[in-house]
Amino acid sequence: MLEGKQPDEKQDFASSDDGALAVRRLKLWIRMLGVTRLVENQLREFLRVDHDTTLPRFDVMATLHRRRDGLSMTELSRTLLISNGNATAVVDRLVRDGLVRRIHSDADRRRVTVILTPKGVAQFEALAVRHRATIDRLFAQLDDADLDMMRDVLRRLRSDLTGESGG
């Protein structure tokens, strides 16, 4: 055992200033996770009930809308932080619905690029307007100052966690 003062087993973790701050940080994490889950669940319900679609389909279409020249399946799965298998399953359904097209590379037939079809672009753009309105409604209680403060805090936290500067 290390020399010096033995920790008092009866001492409450939160009794020290560091412990109290650690407990507050833990509570913040739980609150952030809870809010994230509530918002995500409401978005899933909005997409399912109002548009007969899913959040993964929306995410794939949004990603492809931002990258109009298309993405390889590997790039798509990395961007969305999902497995290639999950990306393939979603893309298969989008292809079947005529919203996404696969383009095989002439140089390497294993390389497949996926892009939105014109129908996919139109459907996504119509859905994106409603999605934005739903997000606006969910966050309506936040004013400009709240949004700026939260953006800055989350940027700083992300920067600290990733070791990046700025954001």
Side-chain angles (χ1 to χ4, degrees):
M1 191 80 184
L2 295 175
E3 288 183 27
K5 190 174 178 181
Q6 297 285 324
D8 182 357
E9 290 181 19
K10 295 179 184 177
Q11 181 181 4
D12 181 19
F13 174 70
S15 65
S16 72
D17 287 341
D18 287 347
L21 190 55
V23 168
R24 289 186 69 205
R25 288 173 175 143
L26 177 61
K27 287 179 179 180
L28 173 64
W29 161 244
I30 292 167
R31 184 165 291 130
M32 286 172 44
L33 189 58
V35 169
T36 299
R37 287 181 177 162
L38 283 171
V39 170
E40 185 175 321
N41 287 340
Q42 289 194 31
L43 285 174
R44 286 179 188 282
E45 185 74 1
F46 154 75
L47 291 168
R48 185 183 64 77
V49 171
D50 294 358
H51 299 283
D52 192 30
T53 194
T54 65
L55 189 55
R57 283 173 59 105
F58 180 85
D59 289 344
V60 167
M61 292 177 72
T63 300
L64 294 175
H65 191 268
R66 283 190 301 274
R67 293 287 304 271
R68 289 309 214 15
D69 56 335
L71 289 168
S72 72
M73 289 300 294
T74 300
E75 293 167 331
L76 181 63
S77 62
R78 280 187 191 146
T79 300
L80 294 173
L81 303 174
I82 60 175
S83 71
N84 281 337
N86 285 343
T88 298
V90 174
V91 167
D92 285 347
R93 288 188 294 273
L94 290 168
V95 167
R96 188 175 58 239
D97 294 342
L99 303 173
V100 168
R101 183 167 59 110
R102 285 186 171 101
I103 302 170
H104 293 271
S105 168
D106 291 334
D108 182 354
R109 296 296 292 170
R110 294 171 298 177
R111 181 170 170 84
V112 176
T113 300
V114 291
I115 63 168
L116 286 175
T117 63
K119 177 182 173 184
V121 170
Q123 184 172 333
F124 173 77
E125 288 176 352
L127 183 54
V129 170
R130 299 279 319 277
H131 177 270
R132 183 173 62 189
T134 301
I135 293 292
D136 186 50
R137 179 182 52 78
L138 293 173
F139 289 87
Q141 69 279 13
L142 301 177
D143 63 17
D144 279 339
D146 294 330
L147 294 171
D148 290 344
M149 179 201 52
M150 291 181 75
R151 179 204 58 217
D152 293 345
V153 168
L154 292 172
R155 277 183 179 167
R156 190 174 79 229
L157 182 58
R158 182 182 62 204
S159 176
D160 289 348
L161 292 170
T162 62
E164 299 172 359
S165 59

